[in-house]
Amino acid sequence: MRIIVNHATCQGHARCWAQAPDIFKLDDEGYILPGDINVAEGDELLASRGAQACPERALEIDRTAAAPESVFIQSRV
Amino acid sequence: MASNPVPDHVPPEMVRDFSLFTSAGMLPTPNGDPHAAVACVHAGPPIFYSPYNTRNGRGTWVITRAKDQRRVLQDAETFSSHRSIFASVLGENWPMIPLELDPPAHGIFRSLLNPLFSPKRVMVLEPVVRERAIALIDRIAASGTSCDVMKDFAFPFTVNIFLGFLGLSDDRLDIFVGWANDLLHGDDVKRPAAARMIVAFIDELAAMRRKEPVADFMTFVVQAEVEGRPLTDEEVRGTGVLLFVAGLDTVAAAIGFDLAYLARNPKDQDLLRSEPDRIGLAAEELLRAYPTVQMIRVATKNIDFEGAPIRKGDYVSCATMIANRDPAEFECPNTIDLAREDNRHAAFGYGPHRCLGSHLARREIVIGLEEWLARIPGFRIKEGTAPITYGGHVFGIENLILDWS
Ligand code: HEM
Ligand code: SF4
């Protein structure tokens, strides 16, 4: 799973961060760091809760993307 | 009402007899519920024109759907915040900063101020906020089994935190509470008088901090630079005045509405007292159900918006109390469910002007509720008293006499 971050739409409500501070990282002003977020396998529920908490609809959930671990494992096989 | 002329471009069928100032339940009402009163607009069209919907009696478009409010508030180019509302009380014309600036100037000042109010900074402030809540509540608990929450807790608490930001001691607390009160409830003489006092006070404080810097907000503002230059006197004033106006009555009203709800709903009260971990989520639901701010924008160009012919110069009202009761956005919006999840309410607005103090306000409310519930046993509205609520530009509650005898 991947979270698509529409950085320009973020207004620093920090509701995503309040749900999952380790997944949604904020800058010093309290706005989300730019760049999409690859979600680790065990973090999917937390990450989707965080994405759904955004009042501005700046976070989009992409369930088609593989979690980073599985990509890693696949690439090793 | 309705004596106001409706502009020619507004189709008569889009005009509705509704006003956040004069409709039923908006004037000071004992045991009123102004939020439930405005929720009724959702029975009607998503957008309509109210001929009387500002403090000085101007007409506005009223956007009722949360989704449409997001569109308006996220589009500052079409819907401007440039109004000088506070200064106009004085017959002057300077913006409160950043509230009445538009991008790109807005962003420059927001970036300057954001770090001071960021979630991380607020975590650092938390112990001080908690200490102040405890001190006030302990004093109330020690002096009897009844108090007026607004006068004895909510206002002293929020004014105290404001004074802490400004590096000032508590000795002038009563004067500040008086100014805040006059500014909110005063008549045409008291309001400008209070506004003038607040401006003079901020100007004087800025001058003092310029001479002798200390580690506080005003010193930060007078030393700050934007685009390689220091702030002008007017910018310093606009910033300082907004902090006073934005942070006092909003948080105080939230605490008042929340404790009034809990006083009337003993089951919810007991639940939060015995399981304080639920207070964070509950506070969000109470912010959804009892938000306080109406946002007004001015159209910068003609636009046909969801069927409404909005013309350049029209006022557009986005009331958080209306968005937060939108059935398209919230399941059973008029039911208060303290465990509601995915609660993307609009209490702090949307778009670039999202409340700068939202992280601080949230902590103040949660800490206030936590410490109140931990220190005051089962409370109810004191028999023979009635909290007076009111609508308007900022919704509020005048008195809340609780009894725990
Ligand atoms: C529960 C309490 C509060 C509520 C409901 C609230 C609500 C709001 C709303 C809806 C806005 C957006 C206004 C607009 O878009 O025109 C706003 C802006 C603002 N608020 Fe709050 N507020 C609260 C507490 C505070 C506190 C404690 C502070 C100060 C420390 C504060 C400072 C500000 C500032 C400076 C702005 C202007 C931001 C900008 O224009 O960029 N607010 N507030
Ligand atoms: S919740 Fe949305 S607006 Fe708020 S910080 Fe996260 S991404 Fe930004």
Side-chain angles (χ1 to χ4, degrees):
Chain A
M1 186 169 108
R2 193 168 56 121
I3 306 290
I4 302 169
V5 174
N6 189 347
H7 187 250
T9 309
C10 172
Q11 301 295 353
H13 292 260
R15 301 317 292 157
C16 54
W17 174 86
Q19 292 278 348
D22 295 331
I23 300 175
F24 301 96
K25 304 239 164 63
L26 306 181
D27 64 19
D28 286 346
E29 292 190 31
Y31 292 61
I32 198 153
L33 292 175
D36 296 347
I37 301 166
N38 285 314
V39 179
E41 225 160 281
D43 285 347
E44 289 179 341
L45 183 66
L46 211 52
S48 52
R49 277 225 192 106
Q52 270 157 18
C54 176
E56 307 283 348
R57 314 305 196 256
L59 304 174
E60 202 184 313
I61 302 168
D62 174 9
R63 293 190 192 278
T64 60
E69 278 94 336
S70 52
V71 171
F72 180 60
I73 291 162
Q74 273 164 14
S75 63
R76 278 208 306 187
V77 175
Chain B
M1 65 164 276
S3 58
N4 243 18
V6 173
D8 287 341
H9 65 269
V10 177
E13 69 276 10
M14 293 196 85
V15 179
R16 287 198 65 197
D17 184 13
F18 168 87
S19 159
L20 285 174
F21 289 81
T22 56
S23 285
M26 297 301 114
L27 294 171
T29 310
N31 284 323
D33 186 351
H35 297 87
V38 299
C40 298
V41 300
H42 288 295
I47 298 180
F48 60 90
Y49 190 86
S50 160
Y52 186 106
N53 202 31
T54 69
R55 196 195 291 278
N56 53 5
R58 284 193 56 163
T60 76
W61 291 99
V62 177
I63 312 288
T64 69
R65 299 274 187 258
K67 187 163 147 279
D68 295 339
Q69 287 200 9
R70 260 196 306 280
R71 212 183 122 196
V72 168
L73 297 171
Q74 289 177 338
D75 179 4
E77 212 171 289
T78 313
F79 300 101
S80 161
S81 290
H82 191 80
R83 293 147 311 177
S84 296
I85 286 179
F86 185 91
S88 67
V89 173
L90 301 171
E92 296 171 14
N93 182 26
W94 42 267
M96 284 197 286
I97 295 176
L99 184 72
E100 295 175 328
L101 293 180
D102 288 327
H106 172 264
I108 293 166
F109 285 93
R110 258 316 271 247
S111 284
L112 180 70
L113 297 171
N114 272 329
L116 271 63
F117 294 92
S118 73
K120 283 169 204 158
R121 184 65 74 93
V122 168
M123 289 203 304
V124 177
L125 290 175
E126 165 149 356
V128 181
V129 174
R130 195 174 292 281
E131 211 172 275
R132 288 176 179 170
I134 293 175
L136 283 163
I137 301 169
D138 275 348
R139 204 171 65 191
I140 291 168
S143 61
T145 54
S146 171
C147 82
D148 181 346
V149 168
M150 301 317 290
K151 196 161 65 62
D152 299 330
F153 177 51
F155 271 108
F157 181 48
T158 53
V159 173
N160 190 304
I161 289 158
F162 170 76
L163 290 176
F165 244 90
L166 296 185
L168 297 175
S169 69
D170 260 8
D171 22 306
R172 288 207 262 177
L173 193 133
D174 289 339
I175 302 175
F176 281 88
V177 175
W179 290 349
N181 243 317
D182 283 355
L183 197 65
L184 277 177
H185 311 299
D187 51 28
D188 289 350
V189 179
K190 279 194 174 158
R191 290 193 66 233
R196 224 163 268 127
M197 300 285 226
I198 294 164
V199 169
F201 163 76
I202 293 290
D203 284 352
E204 187 194 326
L205 187 66
M208 264 165 56
R209 295 303 190 241
R210 271 208 176 92
K211 255 195 232 130
E212 257 179 76
V214 294
D216 70 356
F217 178 78
M218 241 23 225
T219 305
F220 171 86
V221 173
V222 298
Q223 290 182 342
E225 290 201 350
V226 290
E227 300 179 306
R229 60 160 179 91
L231 273 65
T232 66
D233 288 352
E234 199 178 272
E235 287 165 347
V236 168
R237 168 195 290 181
T239 310
V241 166
L242 178 57
L243 193 67
F244 186 96
V245 179
L248 297 189
D249 51 302
T250 45
V251 179
I255 290 174
F257 281 119
D258 293 1
L259 289 178
Y261 172 82
L262 294 175
R264 291 181 172 122
N265 294 274
K267 269 199 197 132
D268 278 345
Q269 183 188 141
D270 291 344
L271 182 68
L272 295 190
R273 189 181 283 107
S274 58
E275 296 178 41
D277 287 354
R278 292 174 177 272
I279 292 175
L281 203 60
E284 291 301 314
E285 173 67 347
L286 292 167
L287 275 166
R288 183 193 70 81
Y290 300 114
T292 47
V293 178
Q294 173 188 207
M295 286 166 276
I296 302 225
R297 297 293 188 261
V298 188
T300 58
K301 58 177 182 233
N302 297 348
I303 174 172
D304 287 319
F305 187 92
E306 303 289 324
I310 297 175
R311 292 294 162 262
K312 185 176 174 178
D314 282 2
Y315 276 25
V316 179
S317 155
C318 293
T320 58
M321 51 293 281
I322 294 180
N324 281 358
R325 303 280 181 130
D326 176 3
E329 186 99 350
F330 302 99
E331 217 172 288
C332 302
N334 296 317
T335 304
I336 295 178
D337 169 7
L338 296 190
R340 190 186 286 269
E341 302 265 0
D342 293 339
N343 196 346
R344 295 187 269 189
H345 62 75
F348 295 111
Y350 297 118
H353 291 277
R354 185 268 309 164
C355 177
L356 175 65
S358 63
H359 311 302
L360 177 62
R362 283 188 155 105
R363 289 319 294 160
E364 288 182 53
I365 293 166
V366 169
I367 288 169
L369 293 179
E370 282 173 355
E371 298 306 333
W372 185 270
L373 287 164
R375 285 173 165 69
I376 305 288
F379 53 87
R380 60 208 163 270
I381 310 262
K382 191 179 170 81
E383 216 169 292
T385 74
I388 295 174
T389 56
Y390 54 88
H393 192 69
V394 180
F395 280 27
I397 177 162
E398 262 170 45
N399 60 312
L400 177 61
I401 321 258
L402 295 184
D403 178 19
W404 53 93
S405 58

